[in-house]
Amino acid sequence: MKIRILAIGDVTSPGGVSHLSQNLWAFRRENAVDFCIVNGENASLVYSMKEEQAKEMLAAGADVITGGNHTMRNLSAFSYMDKEKNVLRPCNFPTDVPGHGYAVCDVCGYRLLVINAMGQVHIEPVLDSPFTAVDKILKREEGKYDLAVMDFHAEATGEKLAVGYAFDGKIQAVFGTHTHVPTADACLLPRGTAYVTDIGMCGETGGILGMEPKGVVERMRTHLSYPFSAAKGQVRAQGVLIVLDTDKKVAVSIDRIEF
Ligand SMILES: [Fe+2]
């Protein structure tokens, strides 16, 4: 059997959340998507995600929401993240941090392990090694899942590729998030893992990573805390559609999508 998994890149604003509410279920139907993962760490604009936005994205058609370096900045969402098993934060945070770093979900009768991990290179906070943390999860959950996918939230392209190759053949799909710019390297690695360095973003286009250029440029130029606001272009969702073969336990395709 083939399972079709949609992954949507970092939601950058409430506008991105509304876009998913208006379009995600239709995209899922048209493309026979069995399961959808959305990275929601910036859904409240720039920093973090509120409980209400997580609920809106789940209702919009996200089966799992993944996070990243901004996820744990919003203290008000901690109790919700503890309760909601399908809203993740990176698994390599210390173990006593609220929330969950992975989930096992039923997809067409198969147990899909969804892991969220964060890189350590040019990104803060610097968490535990993603290699070690993910290895531990695979060992702990051995026999309790059929297929696995991972959102690897990281800045450095080399680190993302290294994680992709490290888990080639062990995790059927490793896709990168965080940089908001989709990369052109989607491929199948030698042992059958679908890989892409970054799947892009979901939010207003025409700016810098979803933000109005002026504030970002001034912040970069002056090193002062100029405020960010959402860009003013058309809202788009970018990501990848991954097809997994449940018998061979490999990915058979990975294609960029946008709507
Ligand atoms: Fe991020």
Side-chain angles (χ1 to χ4, degrees), residues 127-140:
L127 304 180
D128 296 342
S129 161
F131 299 93
T132 309
V134 174
D135 265 337
K136 277 185 190 165
I137 292 170
L138 296 182
K139 201 166 185 183
R140 190 183 310 135

Side-chain angles (χ1 to χ4, degrees), residues 10 39 41-42 67-71 118 123 153-154 177-180:
D10 309 35
N39 186 297
E41 71 151 352
N42 301 312
N69 51 312
H70 298 309
T71 300
M118 206 174 108
I123 192 166
H153 197 79
T177 57
H178 176 67
T179 61
H180 297 197

Side-chain angles (χ1 to χ4, degrees), residues 183-220:
T183 56
D185 61 340
C187 65
L188 299 178
L189 297 178
R191 294 192 171 90
T193 290
Y195 172 83
V196 64
T197 296
D198 207 285
I199 61 174
M201 56 165 260
C202 173
E204 288 82 357
T205 56
I208 299 173
L209 313 187
M211 300 297 122
E212 256 303 276
K214 191 174 187 323
V216 182
V217 170
E218 287 307 293
R219 199 181 276 213
M220 292 267 179

Side-chain angles (χ1 to χ4, degrees), residues 64-67 71 81 85-89 100-103 114 116:
V64 165
I65 297 171
T66 49
T71 300
M81 292 186 70
K85 294 217 170 344
N86 287 2
V87 177
L88 306 179
R89 46 96 175 136
H100 311 278
Y102 64 94
V114 183
N116 186 191

